[in-house]
Amino acid sequence: MRNSLLIDIIEANRGGERKGIYAVESRNSTVQEAYLRQALADGSPALFEICASMLDSHGQSGRMLPDDFIANVKQIAVKTSFPRDRLFFGVNDLSPSLWQDESIESALKKTSAFISDLVSLGINKLGIHAGIPLKGDPADQLLSQEVITAREAALYQAAECAAAALPDEEKPLYVIDVNPGQGMTEDQTNMIHKEDVENAVDRFTKTVAAAGLPEMKKRLLAARIFLGAGNSIFDHQAVQRDYSQAVSSLEKDEWIRFTR
């Protein structure tokens, strides 16, 4: 599947435009149909996302098979006459912590195989991270950035290896998480600031370089905001203001679309 419509968004942002699409992460068929009808009316692509923890590549845990996720959306696309070439799929939270009871080596191996399978199925957008400690990691310590970088680099290598035979416009695009660097503010609202975005982009750049895949930086599609579980208070105006400052300070080849 060609990703040219999504790549056009990246290129437009690098050229100074503020352009993007909204995405839906829902298994509800009514929600999915409403999204497709709205995207059809807007003339925009449609990006359907799902959390990796809701998928099972072998169907052995009662969770959804990745190809069933794709097939269900395609069926609704046919019903709504939505163009196939404007339909895209993404999987978030691809992490070795999906196999947290496994050894570090086993968890990384299974995550790599899962990512490879998703790329082979035509998943367009991947959200990969490895910051959660695994069985065998020190229980009372956060992972060092060096360990996180090494693990994420290995997962990126798995994705790119699976996509090696694809033309450039069909290779997967990537999303990174942006976490609040300063935690909660005095009024208990999580805030995203310019430096949080810059740090996330910088970490991605270093990770793909460590993987020997610096060209992946050109396929960084978006930054995903993470406010933390249970946080329902969110100052959109403050975040948008800091986004504008962050984006304007990035070099053109670091320009990305922020999805909320």
Side-chain angles (χ1 to χ4, degrees):
M1 182 191 302
R2 295 185 180 275
N3 293 332
S4 57
L5 289 175
L6 298 182
I7 293 172
D8 286 346
I9 293 173
I10 300 175
E11 296 297 336
N13 280 327
R14 287 177 184 152
E17 296 181 48
R18 295 192 176 184
K19 191 175 181 181
I21 63 170
Y22 42 88
V24 164
E25 185 172 328
S26 174
R27 293 167 59 184
N28 184 289
S29 59
T30 301
V31 173
Q32 292 174 341
E33 182 176 340
Y35 173 43
L36 284 176
R37 292 191 184 282
Q38 186 61 56
L40 193 62
D42 294 341
S44 70
L47 173 58
F48 285 89
E49 301 183 337
I50 192 168
C51 183
S53 62
M54 298 176 70
L55 296 175
D56 187 328
S57 57
H58 302 293
Q60 297 176 344
S61 64
R63 296 192 294 268
M64 180 179 287
L65 289 165
D67 44 359
D68 286 343
F69 163 59
I70 295 172
N72 290 346
V73 172
K74 286 182 177 179
Q75 185 176 11
I76 299 173
V78 170
K79 176 182 177 182
T80 58
S81 300
F82 192 87
R84 181 67 186 86
D85 61 356
R86 283 163 48 192
L87 194 61
F88 299 93
F89 298 92
V91 178
N92 296 321
D93 300 320
L94 286 160
S95 167
S97 62
L98 294 167
W99 288 273
Q100 203 156 16
D101 293 332
E102 306 264 353
S103 67
I104 295 172
E105 181 180 2
S106 176
L108 286 169
K109 184 176 180 179
K110 289 185 176 182
T111 310
S112 295
F114 188 29
I115 290 171
S116 297
D117 289 344
L118 293 174
V119 172
S120 298
L121 283 172
I123 294 294
N124 310 93
K125 191 221 74 175
L126 302 173
I128 292 172
H129 64 82
I132 299 175
L134 304 173
K135 184 178 180 180
D137 287 320
D140 57 346
Q141 298 178 23
L142 296 175
L143 296 180
S144 69
Q145 190 56 53
E146 290 76 14
V147 168
I148 295 172
T149 296
R151 292 178 183 178
E152 290 181 353
L155 299 179
Y156 284 132
Q157 287 173 337
E160 290 298 294
C161 182
L166 297 176
D168 287 347
E169 65 270 22
E170 295 184 27
K171 292 183 184 296
L173 307 177
Y174 296 93
V175 170
I176 56 175
D177 288 346
V178 178
N179 300 284
Q182 298 177 348
M184 302 292 284
T185 59
E186 291 182 2
D187 63 355
Q188 294 298 296
T189 302
N190 261 320
M191 303 294 292
I192 299 290
H193 298 287
K194 176 180 71 173
E195 54 269 24
D196 298 323
V197 180
E198 292 173 334
N199 289 340
V201 173
D202 183 58
R203 285 193 298 271
F204 178 79
T205 301
K206 291 178 179 177
T207 300
V208 298
L213 299 164
E215 69 280 1
M216 275 180 56
K217 184 179 176 182
K218 297 179 181 179
R219 285 184 275 123
L220 176 58
L221 175 67
R224 191 170 66 128
I225 305 171
F226 179 74
L227 297 180
N231 292 312
S232 58
I233 303 174
F234 186 49
D235 188 338
H236 289 277
Q237 291 182 345
V239 169
Q240 183 60 52
R241 181 172 61 249
D242 280 333
Y243 268 168
S244 298
Q245 295 171 358
V247 175
S248 63
S249 71
L250 299 176
E251 296 179 4
K252 283 190 176 181
D253 65 342
E254 293 176 322
W255 190 281
I256 54 181
R257 167 64 186 168
F258 299 100
T259 59
R260 297 190 294 279

